[in-house]
Amino acid sequence: MGAVIWQKVTTTNTTGGASIMGSFPYPRNGILKLDYEFILIFKKQGDAPKPTKEQKERSAMTTEEWNTYFSGHWNFAGAKQEGHLAMFPEELPHRLIKMFAFRGDTVLDPFMGSGTTSLAAKNLERNSVGYEINREFIEIAKQKLNTRQPDFMGTEYEFLHDTVKGDVTAAIEQLPYQFKDPHKLDKKTDPRKLTFGSRIEKESEAEREEFFTVKEILSPEKVRLSNGLTVKLIGIKSEPFTHDKAVGYLTEKIKGKRIFLKYDKLKHDEENVLLCYLYLENKTFVNAHLIKSGLVGIDCSYEYRCRGKFLEMGELVQD
Ligand SMILES: C[S@@+](CC[C@H](N)C(=O)[O-])C[C@H]1O[C@@H](n2cnc3c(N)ncnc32)[C@H](O)[C@@H]1O
């Protein structure tokens, strides 16, 4: 049905120092701030239940609300991330619920996380159902919804644990649509370490789908992520004289930062460590920056996609 551009008003630098790591202040490699998101609106086929007259009247929006909500651009801040990364602010489901659900309707959030959608639904007198794969969020959702405190509406809560029973493969075969991932599953990577979407903060670290946080710089070529996974940067060879400086460089640029990984044909080294190209959230290519810094050598002991590019960079550094 369309899309809304949500411009996340923010006073902090959310992109991890793009101006420093990009080519600032010169062209051509400045990096755009990812300070917006698209909200895509879809409509389910079929007839929706008819609201009663009273329901309709009690769900009316003011003219101001209507004009704000149905404009193509929304401007409000993102949520402060506590305990759960990728939380959205209550204002987001609040608007969508007012736009598309009558009082007393039931709202579904298939990826419930900390329960922001249910909170917005409760505050707008709508029912809600949420699915969440990670049990650890139940406690966070309970706190967010203040379930221990009875409210004047007499809100009731139910938290159900479910385990899959029966023949899952046969059940999937029955589904009208099945998503087939074109990427081959890398069996050597422990899928339990690559989390589904996000995870509760443990010892004040957090992570979310596709993104990880760098916990520790083990050496110029090896870093540990906050999910416990150790990864090795493709093409990087530490040099004895600049070893400590390279570790310092990485500590400053990536420690505690959110990153994502890309892989090459060869997925693991001889010690079964995952080989990767490491990028900051703002797409800064860390392997390349490290080589450009002149603090590391280039590992040519095996074939990888960026080898030629890295060698060129290394030559430029020497010149
Ligand atoms: C982006 S977060 C949602 C955050 C939520 N909007 C909030 O404000 O807290 C996505 C959530 O989906 C969950 N998730 C991922 N795959 C899932 C699945 N197959 N079934 C249920 N939940 C899933 C993740 O654990 C994560 O908590």
Side-chain angles (χ1 to χ4, degrees):
M1 284 167 68
V4 173
I5 295 172
W6 169 31
Q7 168 72 46
K8 297 187 231 179
V9 182
T10 172
T11 49
T12 52
N13 182 1
T14 52
T15 51
S19 54
I20 309 295
M21 294 293 284
S23 61
F24 172 83
Y26 308 108
R28 305 181 172 108
N29 293 316
I31 291 153
L32 286 174
K33 267 193 190 171
L34 297 177
D35 56 358
Y36 62 89
E37 280 189 42
F38 288 105
I39 317 279
L40 306 180
I41 318 256
F42 298 91
K43 191 173 180 168
K44 209 170 118 183
Q45 296 281 338
D47 297 326
K50 216 171 164 348
T52 63
K53 197 162 171 266
E54 195 214 342
Q55 239 186 326
K56 214 169 153 178
E57 269 157 23
R58 296 188 62 231
S59 310
M61 282 165 266
T62 63
T63 311
E64 199 191 337
E65 281 173 335
W66 184 279
N67 289 336
T68 310
Y69 298 173
F70 285 94
S71 90
H73 290 80
W74 289 355
N75 288 277
F76 53 87
K80 189 163 173 267
Q81 302 303 327
E82 277 170 323
H84 178 278
L85 243 134
M87 267 193 299
F88 47 50
E90 191 184 339
E91 182 66 14
L92 185 57
H94 175 95
R95 289 187 180 199
L96 293 165
I97 290 168
K98 284 204 108 173
M99 290 161 80
F100 298 109
F102 290 98
R103 251 171 231 257
D105 276 355
T106 301
V107 176
L108 169 69
D109 185 346
F111 303 101
M112 195 181 78
S114 64
T116 316
T117 304
S118 292
L119 178 67
K122 174 173 116 158
N123 290 338
L124 291 168
E125 293 178 40
R126 273 74 168 174
N127 301 303
S128 70
V129 176
Y131 297 123
E132 174 51 54
I133 203 167
N134 189 339
R135 276 180 191 209
E136 293 177 70
F137 284 120
I138 291 181
E139 200 41 49
I140 294 186
K142 281 184 178 168
Q143 281 171 23
K144 186 171 241 182
L145 291 161
N146 209 359
T147 54
R148 286 160 189 112
Q149 191 82 36
D151 61 35
F152 71 95
M153 296 179 288
T155 308
E156 287 172 17
Y157 307 89
E158 207 176 356
F159 292 86
L160 306 170
H161 294 268
D162 205 0
T163 37
V164 181
K165 294 176 205 95
D167 185 347
V168 179
T169 316
I172 290 174
E173 288 303 320
Q174 300 300 314
L175 294 176
Y177 171 77
Q178 293 165 37
F179 172 71
K180 297 260 194 293
D181 194 337
H183 300 284
K184 280 204 175 124
L185 180 69
D186 182 351
K187 294 196 183 88
K188 282 188 189 164
T189 302
D190 184 350
R192 287 165 300 185
K193 289 189 172 175
L194 305 169
T195 55
F196 312 91
S198 52
R199 213 175 77 169
I200 304 279
E201 276 189 7
K202 278 208 176 109
E203 293 154 20
S204 79
E205 276 138 40
E207 55 207 279
R208 85 175 215 195
E209 196 168 62
E210 310 122 7
F211 288 103
F212 305 94
T213 305
V214 175
K215 184 174 182 188
E216 202 182 343
I217 313 297
L218 302 170
S219 70
E221 68 272 22
K222 269 190 204 161
V223 302
R224 182 169 299 134
L225 308 177
S226 50
N227 60 359
L229 198 69
T230 295
V231 295
K232 189 167 172 184
L233 275 61
I234 295 174
I236 306 298
K237 192 170 80 182
S238 68
E239 298 288 3
F241 290 118
T242 46
H243 177 281
D244 293 354
K245 274 194 178 161
V247 169
Y249 178 90
L250 282 179
T251 306
E252 188 199 326
K253 304 292 186 203
I254 67 170
K255 191 171 173 194
K257 297 260 168 70
R258 288 180 359 110
I259 55 101
F260 63 96
L261 306 174
K262 287 189 184 176
Y263 310 99
D264 212 301
K265 261 197 207 137
L266 183 66
K267 296 281 186 314
H268 296 84
D269 71 359
E270 60 287 354
E271 286 160 355
N272 214 16
V273 178
L274 184 63
L275 295 166
C276 69
Y277 297 112
L278 194 145
Y279 295 82
L280 283 177
E281 196 177 7
N282 65 13
K283 301 198 173 73
T284 299
F285 187 10
V286 174
N287 306 46
H289 274 266
L290 194 53
I291 289 169
K292 278 196 227 160
S293 75
L295 298 171
V296 292
I298 298 157
D299 188 355
C300 293
S301 61
Y302 61 101
E303 277 304 322
Y304 50 91
R305 214 170 41 240
C306 294
R307 201 168 117 153
K309 188 170 150 187
F310 287 175
L311 284 169
E312 269 175 39
M313 286 175 181
E315 276 166 27
L316 285 176
V317 173
Q318 279 170 8
D319 294 346

